[in-house]
Amino acid sequence: QVQLQESGPGLVKPSQTLSLTCTVSGGSISSGSYYWGWIRQPAGKGLEWIGRISTSGSTNYNPSLKSRLIISIDMSKNQFSLNLSSVTAADTAVYFCARGIPGSGRFDYWGQGTLVTVSS
Amino acid sequence: QSALTQPASVSGSPGQSITISCSGGSSDVGAYNYVSWYQHHPGKAPKLMIYEVNNRPSGISNRFSGSKSGNTASLTISGLQAEDEADYYCSSYTSSRTLVFGGGTKLTVL
């Protein structure tokens, strides 16, 4: 059973960089042709797709976040990461990581989510 | 990219059927059969209920079904149960090689 767990600081100051890591267990991140994605949910709002990375390192980003966003993958650690720069209060949200199925657009396994608050 | 349009809330009594719509455009819902539906209980991980418009993952009840017509997809839940009360989100692949979610629908079981 594949499991994903988000980790990282729960509080980030405005203008700084938000960094989160997703650790995958129960299977190798490099096996199969999956992609690995990030989704967030601001309080009281809906889900927002952030972006995704394939095991080959190919990325796709939400156009509204693209200029501030880097998603990377470390197969030796079975992890992938999110870096969002120049954050503001609008980036305060619960951040989820998930496994995606190519050619489908679906996420079949999700992490529990982690709350990140942007505040001074 | 704009979020897909879902009703903010729907409700139904136990045993009844409800349908949640998900409206997009010709570059997302209308262009691909890559519409998914997720059930989300606050504080928990979202759960995939339907993928590729009308396919159920293993273990998902056949009370859940999906369909699509033009730029609008729909999720139908039949035989409503108290445990179905949750937020539901649709998502679609887009022509920009991105994904987009709907704004979410809160289902209340009366």
Side-chain angles (χ1 to χ4, degrees), chain B residues 6-23:
Chain B
Q6 297 181 232
S9 63
V10 297
S11 62
S13 299
Q16 288 186 332
S17 295
I18 63 95
T19 296
I20 299 171
S21 60
C22 170
S23 296

Side-chain angles (χ1 to χ4, degrees), chain A residues 71-88:
Chain A
I71 295 175
S72 58
I73 192 166
D74 187 337
M75 286 181 274
S76 68
K77 294 183 179 179
N78 235 36
Q79 296 175 335
F80 61 105
S81 299
L82 163 75
N83 281 271
L84 184 65
S85 63
S86 305
V87 297
T88 68

Side-chain angles (χ1 to χ4, degrees), chain A residues 10 22 34 40 50 60 89 99 101-102 110 119:
Chain A
C22 182
Y34 301 111
R40 71 181 181 180
I50 296 172
N60 297 101
R99 188 181 83 169
I101 307 297
W110 293 64
S119 175

Side-chain angles (χ1 to χ4, degrees), chain B residues 12-100:
Chain B
S13 299
Q16 288 186 332
S17 295
I18 63 95
T19 296
I20 299 171
S21 60
C22 170
S23 296
S26 57
S27 61
D28 40 61
V29 175
Y32 306 96
N33 287 326
Y34 296 147
V35 176
S36 302
W37 289 91
Y38 299 90
Q39 178 190 68
H40 188 210
H41 289 103
K44 294 193 174 183
K47 181 179 182 181
L48 178 67
M49 306 302 285
I50 295 287
Y51 67 94
E52 293 171 17
V53 176
N54 57 11
N55 292 280
R56 282 187 308 276
S58 175
I60 299 301
S61 170
N62 59 9
R63 296 187 300 106
F64 292 83
S65 62
S67 63
K68 191 186 87 167
S69 178
N71 296 338
T72 300
S74 298
L75 171 72
T76 297
I77 308 174
S78 59
L80 267 181
Q81 299 178 1
E83 67 209 47
D84 298 332
E85 185 162 295
D87 297 323
Y88 289 84
Y89 293 90
C90 61
S91 75
S92 175
Y93 184 72
T94 82
S95 59
S96 302
R97 301 185 65 187
T98 63
L99 293 174
V100 61

Side-chain angles (χ1 to χ4, degrees), chain A:
Chain A
Q1 178 81 347
V2 174
Q3 293 184 312
L4 296 91
Q5 179 67 59
E6 306 87 353
S7 60
L11 181 63
V12 181
K13 288 181 167 45
S15 81
Q16 294 191 341
T17 296
L18 182 162
S19 297
L20 294 174
T21 295
C22 182
T23 301
V24 179
S25 59
S28 172
I29 200 171
S30 59
S31 67
S33 301
Y34 301 111
Y35 63 82
W36 304 91
W38 290 97
I39 302 97
R40 71 181 181 180
Q41 183 178 33
K45 296 187 178 182
L47 300 175
E48 179 182 28
W49 181 77
I50 296 172
R52 64 181 186 179
I53 187 167
S54 70
T55 51
S56 66
S58 172
T59 55
N60 297 101
Y61 295 152
N62 186 320
S64 69
L65 300 170
K66 188 173 183 177
S67 63
R68 303 191 287 129
L69 181 62
I70 296 175
I71 295 175
S72 58
I73 192 166
D74 187 337
M75 286 181 274
S76 68
K77 294 183 179 179
N78 235 36
Q79 296 175 335
F80 61 105
S81 299
L82 163 75
N83 281 271
L84 184 65
S85 63
S86 305
V87 297
T88 68
D91 296 308
T92 294
V94 175
Y95 285 76
F96 297 95
C97 60
R99 188 181 83 169
I101 307 297
S104 172
R106 71 186 188 265
F107 291 107
D108 59 351
Y109 289 99
W110 293 64
Q112 289 291 321
T114 187
L115 174 63
V116 179
T117 301
V118 178
S119 175
S120 55

